[in-house]
């Protein structure tokens, strides 16, 4: 059984003006997501600025998220690292904190071989008992994991159950699903490709768009899964201008700006990320107005 089906939100981490985590605001955002129909919370992923968190902050945010959500929907913790020992430590801590699953990005910078990737993920999986999703985003990590490696991991390691695919390489993604023969739970890592991924047998999306449009993103998936492919496609295409605006600068700069425009006050970004360029913020605001959320 999949960890979740539908739209999981890659949630931002709100910060106070001094840069500390704003736990009051985080609770508000979590409650809004659940009320908005989001199917899962992804805590401390790329959108959550996990790369600028200390280990202590990272674990505390996951723990707090699990406590607030309280099993109403699954919580998946981002616990990947380019250090296998660090990934094991964060993964064990997230499991102890109550996470329902883990999201592990391919190790960045080291440029591991396919054998190294298999060994890395196997070592992390061996340290925990909850299900794991691989996170394949070569544009950020500089590492491409081959379809054969992903499928081998899902087939041979019991608690590695699926993949968040953000490579946009549909030939490779189709090859994954061809080789998988049902052993891979596939999720889109790109909001403009939800329906194409679902058409290849995907379970849903891990979404940035859901931060500002949880119900609409959920509905794209729900319509498809209910057999209304035409409606799902319509909803997907309606979202494209907004999705493009949300990625006109590096994530999560635009989505935090969008939340700010909505009056949700997610607080500052942590450096080296900086505030959105004014002309891009205008483009974002226009797309949000046209989409009907501003």
């Amino acid at each position: 059984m999949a960890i979740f089906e539908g739209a999981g939100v890659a949630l931002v981490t709100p910060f106070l003006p001094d840069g500390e985590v704003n736990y009051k605001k985080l609770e508000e955002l979590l409650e809004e997501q659940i009320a908005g129909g989001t199917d899962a919370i992804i805590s401390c992923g790329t959108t959550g600025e996990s790369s600028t968190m200390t280990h202590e902050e990272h674990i505390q945010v996951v723990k707090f998220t699990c406590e607030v959500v309280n099993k109403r929907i699954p919580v998946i913790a981002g616990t990947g690292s380019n250090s296998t020992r660090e990934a094991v430590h964060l993964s064990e801590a997230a499991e102890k904190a109550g996470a329902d699953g883990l999201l592990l990005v391919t190790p960045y910078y080291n440029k591991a071989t396919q054998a190294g990737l298999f060994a890395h993920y196997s070592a992390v999986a061996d340290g925990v008992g909850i299900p794991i999703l691989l996170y394949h985003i070569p544009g950020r990590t500089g590492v491409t994991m081959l379809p054969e490696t992903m499928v081998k991991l899902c087939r041979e390691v019991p608690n590695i159950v699926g993949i968040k695919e953000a490579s946009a390489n549909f030939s490779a993604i189709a090859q994954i699903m061809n080789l998988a023969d049902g052993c891979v739970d596939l999720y889109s890592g790109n909001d403009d490709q939800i329906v194409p991924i679902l058409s290849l047998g995907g379970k849903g999306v891990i979404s940035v768009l859901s931060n500002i449009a949880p119900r609409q993103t959920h509905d794209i998936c729900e319509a498809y899964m209910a057999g209304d492919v035409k409606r799902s496609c319509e909803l997907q295409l309606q979202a494209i201008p907004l999705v493009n605006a949300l990625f006109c600068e590096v994530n999560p700069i635009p989505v935090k700006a969008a939340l700010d425009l909505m009056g949700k006050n997610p607080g500052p970004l942590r450096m080296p990320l900086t505030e959105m360029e004014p002309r891009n913020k205008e483009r974002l605001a226009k797309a949000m107005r046209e989409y009907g959320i501003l």
Side-chain angles (χ1 to χ4, degrees):
M1 184 176 176
I3 304 174
F4 77 97
E5 293 187 1
V9 61
L11 194 69
V12 302
T13 302
F15 296 118
L16 295 165
D18 64 1
E20 295 299 307
V21 177
N22 186 341
Y23 286 100
K24 181 179 179 182
K25 179 59 64 175
L26 177 56
E27 183 173 5
E28 290 176 15
L29 294 177
L30 288 166
E31 292 296 346
E32 287 173 3
Q33 285 295 319
I34 293 171
T38 287
D39 298 292
I41 303 292
I42 291 75
S43 176
C44 294
T46 303
T47 311
E49 296 179 75
S50 59
S51 59
T52 61
M53 288 183 182
T54 66
H55 287 175
E56 292 75 17
E57 286 177 320
H58 195 130
I59 294 164
Q60 181 56 35
V61 168
V62 170
K63 184 174 185 292
F64 182 85
T65 298
C66 292
E67 289 171 351
V68 171
V69 174
N70 194 26
K71 301 298 180 182
R72 286 177 287 174
I73 57 176
V75 173
I76 300 169
T79 55
S81 172
N82 69 324
S83 162
T84 302
R85 289 203 303 175
E86 184 174 301
V88 169
H89 167 67
L90 289 173
S91 298
E92 290 175 341
E95 180 178 35
K96 185 177 179 181
D100 300 287
L102 305 173
L103 180 66
L104 295 173
V105 71
T106 40
Y108 39 88
Y109 190 78
N110 307 55
K111 292 198 169 183
T113 64
Q114 298 301 303
L117 292 170
F118 188 89
H120 168 84
Y121 281 115
S122 298
V124 178
D126 190 53
V128 296
I130 54 177
I132 290 170
L133 298 178
L134 313 175
Y135 180 15
H136 188 223
I137 183 164
R140 278 189 182 266
T141 65
V143 175
T144 296
M145 187 157 46
L146 296 178
E148 291 79 3
T149 305
M150 298 187 214
V151 173
K152 184 180 179 184
L153 281 162
C154 289
R155 182 172 287 129
E156 296 184 10
V157 183
N159 56 329
I160 296 181
V161 299
I163 302 160
K164 175 186 176 183
E165 247 296 348
S167 69
N169 182 345
F170 277 95
S171 295
I173 296 168
Q175 178 69 350
I176 292 167
M177 299 308 279
N178 171 255
L179 294 171
D181 194 27
C183 75
V184 172
D185 293 336
L186 178 68
Y187 298 89
S188 176
N190 296 316
D191 283 307
D192 59 347
Q193 297 165 6
I194 302 171
V195 171
I197 290 288
L198 291 172
S199 76
L200 289 171
K203 299 289 187 181
V205 61
I206 293 177
S207 170
V208 175
L209 176 64
S210 284
N211 280 279
I212 59 172
R215 178 63 63 183
Q216 294 92 326
T217 314
H218 165 87
D219 287 351
I220 293 172
C221 298
E222 184 177 62
Y224 192 98
M225 291 170 180
D228 194 347
V229 176
K230 183 175 184 291
R231 178 60 177 159
S232 180
C233 288
E234 289 172 352
L235 294 172
Q236 171 79 93
L237 294 174
Q238 287 170 12
I240 294 298
L242 177 55
V243 171
N244 289 341
L246 282 172
F247 289 90
C248 70
E249 290 188 26
V250 69
N251 180 48
I253 292 173
V255 72
K256 272 201 158 178
L259 287 165
D260 195 51
L261 287 166
M262 295 171 78
K264 297 187 183 294
N265 190 25
L269 297 145
R270 282 186 173 177
M271 289 182 68
L273 298 183
T274 53
E275 297 304 312
M276 198 171 191
E277 296 288 338
R279 71 179 187 282
N280 288 333
K281 196 167 186 178
E282 289 173 12
R283 173 187 172 183
L284 175 62
K286 180 175 183 289
M288 292 171 69
R289 286 194 294 271
E290 291 175 351
Y291 195 65
I293 57 173
L294 193 63

